Amino acid sequence: MYSNPDLLATNLLIGMCRGSLGVPRVIRDLGYRDRWVRRCFPGHGPDSVPPVLAMASREARHTVFVEFSRGAKVDARQLARYATVTAAYLRGATNLSREETETYDIAVLGPARHRESLVKGLEESRLRFPLLLLTRAGIVLGANSFSKAALSKVFFPRLEVAWETIPRSWIRFNGNSGVLEVADAVIPEVVARAMKGDTRIAATDLCRSHPLWDILGKPGRDHMNGQVCEALAAATENEFRSHFDLDGEVLVLQRDLAADTPMQRAGWLKRLQQLHAAFLDRLADDRSARAEREFFEEDDAAGQ
Amino acid sequence: MIVTNRRQMARLFHDRMNGNYRDDPNERQPGRRPEVVKSYLVDAYGTWSPGEADESPFVSRLAEIVDGSGLGSRFTCEVHPAETGDLATICARMGDRTSTYLHVDAEDPRFWIVHATATGQAADRIVALLVEGSTRINRVLIPVQLLDRVRMLGTCVGLGLDFDRRLFSTHADGNDGSRMGSLKMQQWGHEAGRLLEYMRHEPSFADRTTLSRLQIRCQPDGGDGTAFSVEEIRIDGKLTAKGTWFEGHANMVRTLKGAFSGVVGQLESNHAIQVGSTGDVVTGKALAIDTGRRIEDLDAFTRKVFSGARPFQLWGVPRGGDGLVRVRATDLGLGGRLDFEITPAFIRIYLPSTTSGSTVLRFYANLQRHHDACVRLVNEEEMDVLES
């Protein structure tokens, strides 16, 4: 269903912080709430790195910055940046409160099948950041611990997660998303705008509906715009070619729904529904869609 | 008749309810009976732009909607502004027939009230044509809990239950094999409320007792009974009034609108997903529906709900497997977008800040009517949204 395991984990963490039905509530019960931190590192402007997902708790007087590791290796440069962060810096440069920054940790989150190499990477970095491993059964603490024992305890022996039913819609796509996730999010937005009578829809307008758009710096926005254009191009070149055109970065609808009778509009929407289903089916056959399945492969032995 | 202010409109309706046609020579006919006043609650989310300085006047927006609507294409319509900028009369005429008048009250710019005295079916049809063809306004669908709230405002003298699970049935006869697929019932008299409570507490009926209409008798405090109104309030936001007391009807409309807009406001302020004022928080608390009765066939359920057709008016392509189906949906009623994650036991809803909260209530009220009367709309603490 997804090409992007870090999006899966992002949505899970946000869901746990916000009280999504069907996921563990223990992290929310400790007072943790999701935040996006733009100026996380001294010497780096808000545009230079993407915003970082954090879980901050006034009650626990603690913040966890989450660093996703997609592959077998930790990003040593990124971890070294975190090592330069101080509580005083966080209080000055971010909107985190004094209570939330009293203590903090950087948690590295990665697939359990890469446990050995992730542990080794952390050891080599000499940073004792807690390592959270995603296993088929849930999340385990794979190395080191949090500065708050109560949070470490949450992952012992594991925080059980039913991955099949975790939230997937707080953030519908991110910078690592493939065309499938982007198209899945963008085409319904196009239909909503068509219903309002729009016949020319700029890619940036579609980006603006993304909840992180306002938080992203220019490089992040350019990247998202590129992702949306790529998804629109994939749509107009194939299934939707008799309905949409792409004029530069503007999607042009070949009919004005406002001028249609309700019957004509219903017919168009039915046809579009079939085309969108075929479009998503085709994209789901792409190699990238296998990534989620592969994410948990061979993790049982490593993570249990 | 065209009205120029709310006082005149109130007097017009009061006279019509009492069979008095003195102000309108065209309507004056010997022996003409008192009329029923009809009011319709409409979400005008697509015309509503709070805080925008360049917002066009209400009457211009209404005229645009009429022009683009089924009403404008089938009738000759004129929109007459009142003295106050938030009230207008639509005069609709087909050929040489008598004109029909709709009075659109936008005192609350978000939720309009459309009043009419045309005969029931004609008024329903004209209002349906007005909202058809536009995603700027739409009729509302009212959850049972809000009907229960207004039930307490007078003496309940009748009610109707309307539950129909056959919409989701995979059986040819519409029943699910072991349990009744639909329950429709009308009960008149002062015992109606007691019967409803009995059925709600009876396990074999509880999941099907979906209140769909109410009749309430209202009269002024300390009145002698000569001034009264008998209100019929329907799940689709239509209120009709008989009797002698228009003010009672106006109070009922205001109360229902207030209750509905209060819940919509709560959904939009607490659960809409958007970047918060501090810039580092994406706000929007979790929102979900406890489905009560399990959804046995997720595929059939989602195909029906997201087909784009009424009553759900949601368009989308369901994706996923047995455990969870996810739908990035478009609301064809008001043109917004929202996401659903559907499991057999619960449904998560993600409401963007650009989508009306009444879309969520329409989805919820439809589940009350077609899936299980006991479904619960819950917040991040798993508390009932409609009872907080």
Side-chain angles (χ1 to χ4, degrees):
Chain A
M1 190 192 285
Y2 276 92
S3 59
N4 187 357
D6 62 302
L7 181 63
L8 200 73
T10 300
N11 275 305
L12 172 63
L13 296 179
I14 294 174
M16 289 198 293
C17 288
R18 294 202 198 177
S20 283
L21 204 58
V23 295
R25 299 185 65 84
V26 59
I27 287 180
R28 178 177 171 83
D29 290 344
L30 290 171
Y32 289 94
R33 299 291 182 267
D34 57 297
R35 303 283 287 270
W36 290 92
V37 181
R38 282 185 285 187
R39 287 180 65 93
C40 202
F41 307 113
H44 293 79
D47 283 5
S48 59
V49 284
V52 173
L53 177 64
M55 300 188 296
S57 170
R58 280 176 192 265
E59 288 166 59
R61 296 179 168 262
H62 185 227
T63 292
V64 180
F65 296 93
V66 183
E67 182 63 29
F68 294 103
S69 176
R70 287 167 62 84
K73 291 185 177 176
V74 293
D75 183 343
R77 275 179 53 194
Q78 183 77 338
L79 295 188
R81 282 180 186 155
Y82 279 114
T84 65
V85 173
T86 65
Y89 171 78
L90 285 176
R91 280 195 286 275
T94 72
N95 285 317
L96 294 167
S97 69
R98 175 173 283 274
E99 293 91 340
E100 288 164 338
T101 52
E102 199 172 288
T103 54
Y104 59 90
D105 284 299
I106 291 89
V108 177
L109 199 71
R113 64 192 167 116
H114 296 315
R115 177 184 190 145
E116 275 182 30
S117 55
L118 292 172
V119 169
K120 192 174 169 202
L122 275 173
E123 282 172 357
E124 286 172 355
S125 74
R126 297 176 184 277
L127 298 167
R128 294 189 55 78
F129 294 161
L131 172 66
L132 293 175
L133 297 169
L134 307 180
T135 75
R136 209 178 285 277
I139 306 176
V140 298
L141 190 55
N144 305 319
S145 55
F146 290 96
S147 54
K148 295 292 177 183
L151 188 59
S152 297
K153 231 187 254 180
V154 166
F155 301 100
F156 183 80
R158 77 175 69 84
L159 178 63
E160 294 195 3
V161 175
W163 292 100
E164 299 75 24
T165 58
I166 66 164
R168 291 163 182 261
S169 306
W170 288 112
I171 305 293
R172 290 176 293 151
F173 67 93
N174 68 5
N176 295 322
S177 291
V179 180
L180 172 61
E181 283 165 8
V182 181
D184 186 25
V186 160
I187 298 296
E189 189 79 40
V190 169
V191 173
R193 285 164 192 262
M195 288 298 295
K196 291 176 179 168
D198 291 355
T199 52
R200 292 179 62 83
I201 304 163
T204 47
D205 284 342
L206 297 171
C207 292
R208 284 197 181 91
S209 67
H210 194 289
L212 295 187
W213 175 258
D214 287 338
I215 294 174
L216 290 175
K218 187 172 183 316
R221 288 184 176 189
D222 288 346
H223 180 66
M224 186 185 288
N225 199 52
Q227 287 176 295
V228 169
C229 286
E230 188 186 357
L232 295 179
T236 53
E237 287 163 7
N238 293 283
E239 286 80 3
F240 294 95
R241 63 183 172 278
S242 57
H243 297 272
F244 303 158
D245 287 320
L246 203 54
D247 177 8
E249 295 190 349
V250 177
L251 187 77
V252 182
L253 270 65
Q254 293 178 7
R255 68 190 299 161
D256 177 3
L257 280 198
D260 279 351
T261 64
M263 191 78 91
Q264 289 171 321
R265 194 176 308 158
W268 186 80
L269 287 165
K270 195 78 201 161
R271 181 77 190 120
L272 224 60
Q273 200 169 34
Q274 292 161 352
L275 295 175
H276 188 36
F279 181 41
L280 295 180
D281 283 345
R282 178 171 63 83
L283 295 174
D285 287 338
D286 285 352
R287 192 180 303 165
S288 61
R290 293 183 206 142
E292 183 180 327
R293 292 194 298 276
E294 291 168 356
F295 192 72
F296 293 114
E297 275 177 11
E298 300 168 18
D299 73 348
D300 292 341
Q304 309 289 314
Chain B
M1 179 177 167
I2 296 161
V3 299
T4 54
N5 56 52
R6 285 193 181 80
R7 179 182 288 190
Q8 189 190 9
M9 183 173 73
R11 197 179 66 192
L12 170 74
F13 288 136
H14 181 85
D15 286 350
R16 293 290 187 272
M17 286 175 75
N18 287 279
N20 185 341
Y21 298 88
R22 65 189 165 195
D23 287 342
D24 192 344
N26 296 326
E27 301 273 332
R28 207 179 291 151
Q29 296 162 15
R32 185 156 179 181
R33 298 170 63 182
E35 285 189 349
V36 176
V37 176
K38 293 126 200 133
S39 302
Y40 302 80
L41 182 55
V42 169
D43 184 354
Y45 184 79
T47 75
W48 181 65
S49 46
E52 278 192 21
D54 61 346
E55 189 178 321
S56 61
F58 157 68
V59 173
S60 311
R61 284 177 281 143
L62 178 62
E64 280 174 23
I65 289 169
V66 170
D67 281 348
S69 71
L71 185 63
S73 62
R74 294 184 201 192
F75 287 73
T76 305
C77 293
E78 294 164 4
V79 177
H80 300 272
E83 290 160 356
T84 52
D86 52 9
L87 179 69
T89 301
I90 301 170
C91 173
R93 192 172 59 250
M94 186 181 268
D96 296 332
R97 295 184 196 170
T98 313
S99 297
T100 299
Y101 297 94
L102 296 179
H103 306 284
V104 185
D105 188 341
E107 185 176 25
D108 176 346
R110 170 64 190 276
F111 291 99
W112 297 355
I113 307 291
V114 181
H115 300 285
T117 55
T119 58
Q121 284 184 338
D124 285 357
R125 179 162 173 262
I126 285 174
V127 174
L129 288 171
L130 175 65
V131 301
E132 185 181 274
S134 170
T135 52
R136 298 173 76 181
I137 60 173
N138 197 22
R139 296 278 298 276
V140 304
L141 203 61
I142 300 188
V144 168
Q145 291 91 331
L146 299 184
L147 288 184
D148 272 334
R149 277 190 215 174
V150 297
R151 187 158 65 97
M152 307 306 168
L153 296 177
T155 306
C156 180
V157 292
L159 55 82
L161 303 180
D162 187 354
F163 177 80
D164 194 350
R165 193 179 285 145
R166 290 174 299 176
L167 186 71
F168 295 122
S169 176
T170 52
H171 294 255
D173 63 359
N175 287 322
D176 56 9
S178 59
R179 306 180 74 180
M180 206 187 314
S182 72
L183 175 67
K184 290 181 196 290
M185 196 182 90
Q186 299 218 10
Q187 174 73 26
W188 309 120
H190 289 76
E191 299 302 312
R194 279 183 57 195
L195 179 68
L196 176 64
E197 292 309 321
Y198 169 78
M199 291 182 72
R200 281 177 171 168
H201 288 96
E202 167 55 47
S204 54
F205 287 117
D207 64 347
R208 276 160 281 157
T209 51
T210 303
L211 191 59
S212 64
R213 64 173 64 192
L214 280 172
Q215 277 204 344
I216 299 172
R217 184 184 167 95
C218 306
Q219 62 182 51
D221 289 339
D224 60 3
T226 53
F228 71 96
S229 67
V230 177
E231 299 287 331
E232 180 168 293
I233 305 161
R234 288 192 347 194
I235 192 173
D236 63 356
K238 178 185 176 187
L239 297 92
T240 56
K242 295 176 189 168
T244 58
W245 189 43
F246 174 73
E247 189 53 36
H249 174 67
N251 285 341
M252 188 61 76
V253 172
R254 272 195 296 271
T255 304
L256 187 68
K257 180 173 75 68
F260 188 83
S261 67
V263 177
V264 169
Q266 189 186 339
L267 290 172
E268 291 173 0
S269 58
N270 292 342
H271 299 281
I273 299 167
Q274 59 190 323
V275 175
S277 55
T278 56
D280 67 345
V281 180
V282 178
T283 61
K285 295 171 183 168
L287 186 64
I289 287 174
D290 176 341
T291 61
R293 173 190 170 91
R294 284 176 68 81
I295 301 169
E296 298 297 347
D297 188 340
L298 281 179
D299 181 50
F301 177 87
T302 50
R303 271 190 288 117
K304 181 65 80 173
V305 169
F306 298 99
S307 68
R310 290 179 184 277
F312 286 91
Q313 294 183 283
L314 292 168
W315 181 98
V317 173
R319 307 288 296 172
D322 294 337
L324 179 141
V325 173
R326 176 183 43 70
V327 190
R328 312 275 186 236
T330 301
D331 171 21
L332 302 185
L334 285 166
R337 212 199 49 68
L338 69 172
D339 296 321
F340 294 86
E341 290 168 353
I342 301 161
T343 75
F346 62 83
I347 299 170
R348 298 191 196 102
I349 301 172
Y350 300 84
L351 178 68
S353 60
T354 49
T355 298
S356 170
S358 72
T359 302
V360 174
L361 293 185
R362 185 187 339 122
F363 176 71
Y364 174 63
N366 272 317
L367 290 184
Q368 288 183 319
R369 196 170 173 188
H370 297 292
H371 174 69
D372 184 337
C374 302
V375 291
R376 296 169 58 223
L377 181 65
V378 297
N379 65 15
E380 72 285 1
E381 302 299 339
E382 298 182 31
M383 306 291 284
D384 288 275
V385 170
L386 283 127
E387 283 165 17
S388 55

